[in-house]
Amino acid sequence: MTELVGLDDVRAARELLAGVTRTTPLEPFRPLSAALGGPTWLKCENVQRAGSYKVRGAYVRISRLSAAERERGVVAASAGNHAQGVALAAGLVGTHATVFMPVNAPLPKVAATKGYGAQVELAGNTVDEALVAAHTYAERTGAVLIHPFDHPDVIAGQGTVALEILEQCPDVRTIITGVGGGGLISGMAVAAKALRPDVRIIGVQAAGAAAFPPSLVAGEPVRLPAFSTIADGIAVGRPGEITFSHVRKLVDEIVTVSEEDISRALLMLLERGKQVVEPAGAVGVAALLAGVVEVEAPVVAVLSGGNIDPLLMLRVIEHGLAAAGRYLRVTVRCSDRPGQLASLLTQIAEHRANVVDVGHQRANPHLSLGEVEVALSVETRGVEHSDTLISALRASGYQVVFAGEA
């Protein structure tokens, strides 16, 4: 049986982090408070140094290395947040860091990691594959591997987030956070359950990369055969041995959310919360919005990171608008005669919808003779407005097909 990290370990980690990390703010989030019928707060680790909570665990681990170990340097594997945390912590402690990142890691995260002074090597398509390369490098060079989640020092460092939450919101009843390998939720559960056993700790995984549910059923860590999600920060194919033991004993529930849920949450956080958050950092809010878990207020959702690629943000915003019914992509088939396109666009305008772009083609073998296909991207004010517009177009004789439909 793996020995669990204790409250004293988390408190000791907090002493080490004094003057290194910041106490991140706890912000009210009224849109969810209204929906849940009680106070809902956002723990803003997206504004932590290096853009995520990861520097907490990385610094605790690296600061405890011996002089000889620091001389050999450290190595890590990460999609971006742990990479930046390790690079920053290594610089503060005075050792050299080499970080292996997946070849498709977001360019801003790669650039930021280099900016903190680390040497970056690209290896594999996932964090798991990059971790294999990091292990090989450690064996070859003697560098100390700083695991992204499966080490007691890392877990203790991440647990300091919960100590802050309990001080900032003493009456909290539910804490919800994203889960990848399990380091953050393990540390938070250690602290919260020791000080407030009545607090529910809920973890959220992206449905396309949810390794904990099958592992909990099996009673041991299980590797997913394949996984994919926009939430690269929690795209981990297998729980850690140490973190699995913590989650199985201390965490109350693990739920999953869809890509659409994540996109919708990111959009709401940006619009209503004025928070720039990466997909992995928004999954707790996504679960609350989607109603996939029952919670008791006051609720604290951890925004675990804010390092999002601007290009991904553009795609996510568009996807979030579509998921919220505010962005339509449709194809309209109509007769090919002069004035037909103008008539179609006029009707859309009369319903106060905004056409973003339009494509007009006749060269589709599925079209009948004398028929034209118009591809439209349209901004609307929500699901009800979209439904009204589509109904009006169909009532006028237009054949409307949503993007992706046959």
Side-chain angles (χ1 to χ4, degrees), residues 23 176 179:
T23 298
I176 187 167
V179 178

Side-chain angles (χ1 to χ4, degrees), residues 116-133:
Y116 285 119
Q119 177 181 335
V120 174
E121 302 288 345
L122 301 180
N125 295 310
T126 66
V127 175
D128 294 47
E129 292 176 1
L131 189 56
V132 171

